[in-house]
Amino acid sequence: PKCNSFIFWEAPSTTISTTISSSETINEYTVDFIVDGKSYHQAKVEEGHKVEKPVDPSKDGFIFIKWCVDELLENAYDFDTPVTSSFSLYAEFEEDAPEEYTITFDANGGVLNCEATQTVIEGMTVTKPADPSKDGYNFVAWTEDAEGNNIYDFTKLVYSSFTLYAKYEEIPVEALFNV
């Protein structure tokens, strides 16, 4: 006779966990901000990100203009550009020339015996010009108003352009005939 025998085998239930890790590296670059040949600030930037503009540097007697990609200061850096390598940026400055103001002298009906204008650097004083002349009048003073109410103080420091007006007083008629 034939005998059929079967063997059954059951595998235990198991869970297999697999962790897959990426070995992708993120490149980090250095952007060096240079002022007068010295490092002013360094920024670490991940590849593809934008470098943040640092606080503008200061320098006595100069005004900061922009950051440039070249030492000749010919090409401005665009801070919207993604960083793809390390590099340096160079500060461009412009001399801070003081403001100049024009002082105009109005003879107020008389004749100027000086230049009609004087250029004065901000924070300096006006040089008192030669007195103007007017027939039948004596010159009294330079004033801040055409009516002659506010006599100008030549020790005042100048911070704007303005006009000074000649003030006169009439020579009494009897003084003209008394010789």
Side-chain angles (χ1 to χ4, degrees):
K2 255 184 171 179
C3 179
N4 289 335
S5 66
F6 294 97
I7 300 175
F8 291 96
W9 177 73
E10 284 187 35
S13 165
T14 58
T15 304
I16 299 174
S17 293
T18 305
T19 304
I20 300 173
S21 64
S22 172
S23 63
E24 181 181 323
T25 57
I26 298 173
N27 292 327
E28 185 175 79
Y29 299 109
T30 301
V31 178
D32 197 11
F33 293 84
I34 307 293
V35 175
D36 292 336
K38 297 178 184 161
S39 183
Y40 166 76
H41 176 76
Q42 283 191 338
K44 300 287 185 193
V45 184
E46 288 183 8
E47 185 170 25
H49 289 88
K50 298 172 190 173
V51 65
E52 190 173 315
K53 185 177 180 236
V55 173
D56 290 347
S58 61
K59 182 174 163 182
D60 287 342
F62 292 84
I63 298 170
F64 173 76
I65 302 299
K66 65 184 178 246
W67 290 105
C68 296
V69 296
D70 57 302
E71 291 183 68
L72 296 176
L73 308 176
E74 294 175 345
N75 301 297
Y77 181 70
D78 179 1
F79 282 89
D80 286 328
T81 304
V83 172
T84 58
S85 64
S86 292
F87 58 94
S88 295
L89 294 175
Y90 303 88
E92 179 180 0
F93 290 90
E94 182 177 276
E95 191 167 357
D96 186 12
E99 280 293 321
E100 291 185 343
Y101 298 107
T102 301
I103 310 310
T104 304
F105 299 100
D106 183 328
N108 214 4
V111 176
L112 287 176
N113 295 314
C114 64
E115 294 292 323
T117 62
Q118 191 178 117
T119 300
V120 179
I121 295 172
E122 181 177 39
M124 302 302 285
T125 59
V126 177
T127 301
K128 187 177 184 298
D131 294 347
S133 57
K134 185 175 180 180
D135 288 338
Y137 292 84
N138 285 322
F139 173 75
V140 176
W142 288 103
T143 64
E144 296 178 24
D145 60 311
E147 296 75 33
N149 296 321
N150 300 311
I151 293 177
Y152 184 73
D153 176 3
F154 283 91
T155 64
K156 282 173 70 172
L157 302 181
V158 173
Y159 294 99
S160 65
S161 295
F162 55 88
T163 300
L164 292 177
Y165 302 88
K167 178 179 181 173
Y168 305 95
E169 67 181 10
E170 192 171 2
I171 299 172
V173 176
E174 60 272 358
L176 292 174
F177 295 108
N178 292 336
V179 181

